[in-house]
Amino acid sequence: MKMLFDVFPVILFFIAFKLVPVKFAAADLRRTIIDEARSAGSTQDDRIRRAIMSKAEDLRIPLDDKDLKIVRRHDSIRIEAEYVVPVEFPGYTFNWKQRHTAENPLF
């Protein structure tokens, strides 16, 4: 039983070591999507798409162009990104699904 208590913190640290960087990258991309939605009134959709895709590439996030949706209406914009990040563990790959949405009025 003591061995279990000795190994458990190591296992938790290893899991956190693998998941925390993915979570930080996802939060960074989410912030970019929100910022792009806020400035969409003066920006074309193709520039928004390029900015988000470039940020995803910088963060090594597997976002495909088809998984990024930009819907502009006469008074608002909605940006959605949906992707899966594979997180490798010994003997197992955890596919962490991420979805970010931002919607803002256009001025």
Side-chain angles (χ1 to χ4, degrees), residues 49 53 56 61-69 81-83:
R49 181 175 297 279
M53 294 304 292
I61 291 177
L63 179 63
D64 290 329
D65 195 51
K66 64 179 174 44
D67 297 326
L68 177 61
K69 294 175 181 59
E82 197 167 343
Y83 57 95

Side-chain angles (χ1 to χ4, degrees), residues 36-37 39-53 65 68-74 76-79 106:
E36 290 297 328
S39 65
S42 62
T43 310
Q44 296 297 320
D45 291 358
D46 60 334
R47 201 212 69 55
I48 293 170
R49 181 175 297 279
R50 281 194 313 269
I52 294 170
M53 294 304 292
D65 195 51
L68 177 61
K69 294 175 181 59
I70 300 172
V71 179
R72 187 181 294 259
R73 297 183 192 97
H74 69 281
S76 67
I77 188 165
R78 181 177 179 86
I79 303 173
L106 295 173

Side-chain angles (χ1 to χ4, degrees), residues 1 31 34 49 62-63 69 85 91 94:
M1 188 72 154
R31 171 55 42 203
I34 290 169
R49 181 175 297 279
L63 179 63
K69 294 175 181 59
V85 179
F94 174 63

